Amino acid sequence: MSDQADMLSPDGEANIIETEYEVGQDNIQTNIGPFGLDIHNPVFMISGLTIVAFVLFTLAFQDAAGPFFNDLRGTITSIFDWFFLSAANIFVILCLVLIVTPLGKVRLGGTEAVPEYSYTGWFAMLFAAGMGIGLMFYGVSEPISHFSSSLAEGAGSPESWAPLAGAAGNEAEAQRLGMAATIFHWGLHPWAIYAVVALALALFSYNKGLPLTIRSIFYPIFGERVWGWTGHIIDTLAVFATLFGLATSLGYGAEQANAGLEFLFGWTVTDTSKVFLIIAITAIALISVVAGLDAGVKRLSEINMVLAAMLLLFVTLVGPTTEIIRGFFANLGAYAEYLPSLSNPFGRADDNFRQGWTSFYWAWWISWSPFVGMFIARVSRGRTVREFITCVLIIPSLVSVFWMTAFGGTAISQIVNDGYTAVSDASLELKLFVMLDQLPLAQITSFIGIILVIVFFVTSSDSGSLVIDTITAGGKVDAPVPQRVFWACFEGLVAIALLLGGGLGALQAAAVSTGLPFTLILLLACYAIIKGLRSEPR
Amino acid sequence: MYKKIMVPVDLAHADRLDKALTTAADLSRHYKIPVCYVGITATTPGPVAHTPEEFKSKLDAFAKDEGAKRGIDASSLAKVSHDPSVDLDETLVSALNEIGADLVVMASHVPGVPEHIFASNAGYLASHAPVSVLVVR
């Protein structure tokens, strides 16, 4: 790494890495019919072909593939639970340290760089990419699961799924523990995982001048070798995790949206209707992809943020308002109280909870991190590290707490105070709608819920295509539009193939399994971040 | 008849631009008007430059060089685009308004941005810009 800040300096001062590599030097520019292409040769071909091969394998050997990948996931999340938990703790600590130390003053893009997006646009995009859809799925169901398992007889025994020792028979304590455990999975830890990847990418791209792909983070470790096969493998793995993560989510998302539509309008759930939904979501995503970052994904994210805020406000005002507001602070307190024991990787008895929930979640967030992190990096130029981490770690965590309190809290209150148990009896994808059903204007709010699910998927598919396209174009962001169209369609096709042929679960398990190698990658990224930030002017 | 010529350039493929550059320079001398070279970059590192700032200085050097070589009054304008694959055309139109040019001379496609099915850049500009556009083939 060179210390000289020469004419290459970005806006103001920064410390560029001198490398012989030129962005796009390994790219092939060619025309296939009317379509122009500008692709990174090994990465595009290998990831494309591997994905096709994997899908074919899963479809052809479904009986063997399903159990194989599920076993693989189970083994990984139970044997390496201590590793996932410890790594996630390290990410949180690193982020908190960066906020308070002088390294937080470093500005992404150089000392004089100015932010490109307003706070609202920026926040909307990072929230939609980060977990928008998950909050729709789990906002009601997860607090109820932890609450019920903690309350049940035998909570704390080896068979129980309760967090920690549970709170058998103690309703108030079960509620606190259930909320704390849920917030633990949706609070600081997942956002710290995203923040690490996003910060590393932004730093090495905007301040160090390396291409915007995952391999650039490893320059301090592998040097020039990152431009060779070492880097090709890292990037291919990132494409793989992103595409399978997106395709399986798209499949499950179609199932939830369809279940919601059936609940609301009595549309029967068939394979045809699910395929139709995937095609519709992909079609909207295509329009958005072609419209570009500003007119497409940014606008959709803003619309979604407004809709989600309205729904949150509605549930808060119409539901048990004072209970929710009091609950917000009480849950923050419970989170703080249980955080040390929930995040402790060693010497715990709650195997089912720790391995089946926490370890699985961490692996899942980590396998999503190349996608979300890269997208966050793309829109974060001009922010200081301190500002960046505050907005990527602290604020989303608080929003998650509020969201879980409002949705989960209302549902628990329905069970505890009103004796309305339909929510806990409903299937996973219906819990949200069943909860809303007890509140006024259920038809309208459920409809908004379905719209939110669909639009969150559109933004995921859209930003995912942007990310995959950038990685497979060797970090170029000006590759021809048909390439993005290709990836967006490809995602839809993979999702349809898996939905019809079975194997959504198997490939989700495969995607989660990529969490293990990526955890190593992220730990190396922590080292690279510290090393990179220390050489930056502040 | 004209006040200022805008010439969109792609620095990654400046060698392929010669015909358009020569045409622009001839017109510039004929009408005794200045030429402004416009380049568009993303904020992320690309083949031409690591940063927008570096891109700007390279474009500036290119304009000075062209001005001296061809004996014309040349300046440059670097525009930053969030998503150049899609926003290129609109960014060119906004550059046109910013520099107040009333004649555009450009290669049929800004070379290096491969042809795609949606529209050619020159085609878009010719139909959306309020000024004359000379497309050099």
Side-chain angles (χ1 to χ4, degrees):
Chain A
M1 207 184 302
S2 144
D3 285 317
Q4 67 193 51
D6 53 12
M7 50 77 71
L8 298 181
S9 59
D11 296 346
E13 290 175 47
N15 188 6
I16 291 275
I17 289 177
E18 302 289 340
T19 168
E20 294 294 301
Y21 185 81
E22 189 184 273
V23 178
Q25 72 172 30
D26 295 332
N27 283 24
I28 298 179
Q29 298 185 354
T30 180
N31 276 36
I32 297 178
F35 299 102
L37 289 181
D38 185 351
I39 51 178
H40 187 285
N41 180 28
V43 173
F44 186 95
M45 290 310 285
I46 295 173
S47 41
L49 292 176
T50 319
I51 287 161
V52 171
F54 244 84
V55 171
L56 290 179
F57 168 80
T58 314
L59 291 179
F61 303 100
Q62 233 183 84
D63 295 338
F68 172 76
F69 287 124
N70 278 319
D71 284 353
L72 184 66
R73 181 193 64 188
T75 312
I76 286 178
T77 49
S78 51
I79 292 184
F80 294 98
D81 58 339
W82 60 274
F83 181 60
F84 286 118
L85 265 74
S86 313
N89 292 343
I90 291 174
F91 304 148
V92 173
I93 292 167
L94 173 72
C95 288
L96 295 176
V97 165
L98 288 179
I99 293 185
V100 293
T101 58
L103 291 179
K105 282 191 219 147
V106 172
R107 193 174 281 280
L108 300 171
T111 49
E112 305 297 319
V114 280
E116 295 171 331
Y117 291 100
S118 68
Y119 274 111
T120 34
W122 184 44
F123 188 71
M125 282 191 281
L126 59 94
F127 206 77
M131 52 178 54
I133 191 65
L135 291 175
M136 300 302 295
F137 255 115
Y138 293 104
V140 171
S141 67
E142 192 173 342
I144 288 186
S145 299
H146 296 326
F147 165 73
S148 318
S149 62
S150 299
L151 187 63
E153 279 304 306
S157 69
E159 294 77 39
S160 159
W161 281 79
L164 301 173
N170 183 344
E171 221 165 52
E173 197 50 35
Q175 195 168 345
R176 291 187 73 228
L177 183 57
M179 292 308 298
T182 309
I183 293 167
F184 172 56
H185 292 153
W186 294 85
L188 294 173
H189 287 78
W191 289 100
I193 290 168
Y194 293 158
V196 164
V197 181
L199 182 59
L201 279 168
L203 180 67
F204 283 92
S205 188
Y206 297 135
N207 296 52
K208 306 295 184 192
L210 301 183
L212 185 68
T213 76
I214 307 289
R215 66 174 82 193
S216 296
I217 303 174
F218 298 94
Y219 191 87
I221 295 156
F222 297 118
E224 295 292 324
R225 271 178 296 161
V226 292
W227 313 127
W229 277 99
T230 315
H232 301 340
I233 292 169
I234 294 173
D235 279 353
T236 305
L237 205 57
V239 172
F240 185 87
T242 304
L243 196 116
F244 282 145
L246 280 171
T248 49
S249 301
L250 196 58
Y252 287 127
E255 286 185 346
Q256 190 189 21
N258 203 343
L261 288 169
E262 183 183 31
F263 184 75
L264 207 58
F265 302 120
W267 291 10
T268 8
V269 180
T270 59
D271 278 348
T272 324
S273 63
K274 287 186 218 162
V275 169
F276 174 78
L277 270 170
I278 293 181
I279 293 175
I281 291 173
T282 306
I284 307 172
L286 281 180
I287 298 173
S288 174
V289 156
V290 172
L293 189 55
D294 287 353
V297 70
K298 174 165 168 267
R299 201 173 290 168
L300 282 178
S301 299
E302 284 169 344
I303 292 174
N304 242 11
M305 192 170 66
V306 171
L307 279 179
M310 277 165 51
L311 193 63
L312 182 62
L313 198 68
F314 175 83
V315 172
T316 310
L317 291 179
V318 176
T321 312
T322 45
E323 212 170 301
I324 289 174
I325 293 170
R326 236 183 304 129
F328 175 74
F329 296 101
N331 291 338
L332 265 183
Y335 178 47
E337 183 191 324
Y338 283 112
L339 188 59
S341 37
L342 284 170
S343 57
N344 170 23
F346 302 106
R348 286 167 59 177
D350 55 350
D351 283 0
N352 278 341
F353 174 80
R354 191 180 71 252
Q355 295 169 351
W357 281 96
T358 309
S359 180
F360 171 76
Y361 260 129
W362 283 190
W364 181 234
W365 295 131
I366 289 169
S367 72
W368 272 81
S369 64
F371 153 48
V372 180
M374 189 145 157
F375 185 69
I376 295 178
R378 175 97 183 252
V379 294
S380 299
R381 189 175 188 271
R383 305 282 174 189
T384 64
V385 170
R386 186 167 295 151
E387 201 180 2
F388 176 86
I389 293 182
T390 308
C391 288
V392 177
L393 183 74
I394 308 293
I395 296 178
S397 297
L398 288 174
V399 173
S400 294
V401 175
F402 193 49
W403 184 278
M404 291 298 175
T405 304
F407 285 76
T410 302
I412 292 180
S413 155
Q414 286 173 353
I415 298 174
V416 175
N417 301 331
D418 313 338
Y420 174 74
T421 54
V423 188
S424 52
D425 303 336
S427 64
L428 189 70
E429 62 266 25
L430 276 180
K431 284 189 200 294
L432 170 70
F433 304 112
V434 176
M435 185 277 283
L436 289 174
D437 202 35
Q438 277 304 93
L439 302 176
L441 303 174
Q443 291 281 323
I444 298 174
T445 51
S446 300
F447 187 66
I448 291 180
I450 294 171
I451 299 284
L452 271 172
V453 171
I454 291 176
V455 183
F456 272 131
F457 270 107
V458 171
T459 51
S460 299
S461 165
D462 183 352
S463 42
S465 310
L466 281 180
V467 165
I468 297 181
D469 181 36
T470 307
I471 300 177
T472 53
K476 283 183 106 173
V477 293
D478 58 352
V481 177
Q483 267 167 245
R484 299 174 190 183
V485 173
F486 166 77
W487 286 112
C489 295
F490 201 50
E491 263 158 48
L493 285 175
V494 171
I496 290 173
L498 293 173
L499 188 74
L500 294 182
L504 270 177
L507 275 184
Q508 190 191 32
V512 169
S513 306
T514 60
L516 184 65
F518 268 114
T519 310
L520 275 177
I521 290 185
L522 261 65
L523 285 170
L524 292 174
C526 291
Y527 166 76
I529 288 175
I530 296 173
K531 190 168 175 194
L533 282 177
R534 284 171 69 106
S535 67
E536 284 297 304
R538 303 190 269 275
Chain B
M1 189 175 326
Y2 297 107
K3 293 198 301 278
K4 197 173 194 178
I5 306 174
M6 173 172 108
V7 183
V9 292
D10 179 348
L11 288 184
H13 301 88
D15 48 324
R16 289 198 235 150
L17 283 170
D18 197 56
K19 198 169 167 192
L21 294 176
T22 309
T23 310
D26 289 345
L27 288 167
S28 159
R29 279 190 298 267
H30 178 77
Y31 291 114
K32 298 182 180 57
I33 52 174
V35 171
C36 182
Y37 299 100
V38 173
I40 293 172
T41 181
T43 52
T44 46
V48 176
H50 297 92
T51 65
E53 201 60 22
E54 186 193 351
F55 182 86
K56 211 166 172 179
S57 69
K58 283 197 171 170
L59 185 64
D60 208 40
F62 172 84
K64 282 207 180 83
D65 193 42
E66 284 290 309
K69 199 167 75 190
R70 302 181 192 267
I72 53 174
D73 176 2
S75 59
S76 72
L77 174 69
K79 294 284 281 181
V80 172
S81 161
H82 290 152
D83 192 358
S85 310
V86 173
D87 298 340
L88 193 80
D89 300 322
E90 286 162 36
T91 314
L92 284 177
V93 173
S94 83
L96 186 66
N97 297 329
E98 196 174 324
I99 60 183
D102 50 3
L103 175 62
V104 177
V105 176
M106 69 190 295
S108 61
H109 292 79
V110 177
V113 178
E115 288 189 37
H116 45 68
I117 48 166
F118 294 98
S120 82
N121 304 118
Y124 179 91
L125 216 59
S127 45
H128 289 82
V131 302
S132 306
V133 176
L134 172 57
V135 181
V136 178
R137 291 195 199 276

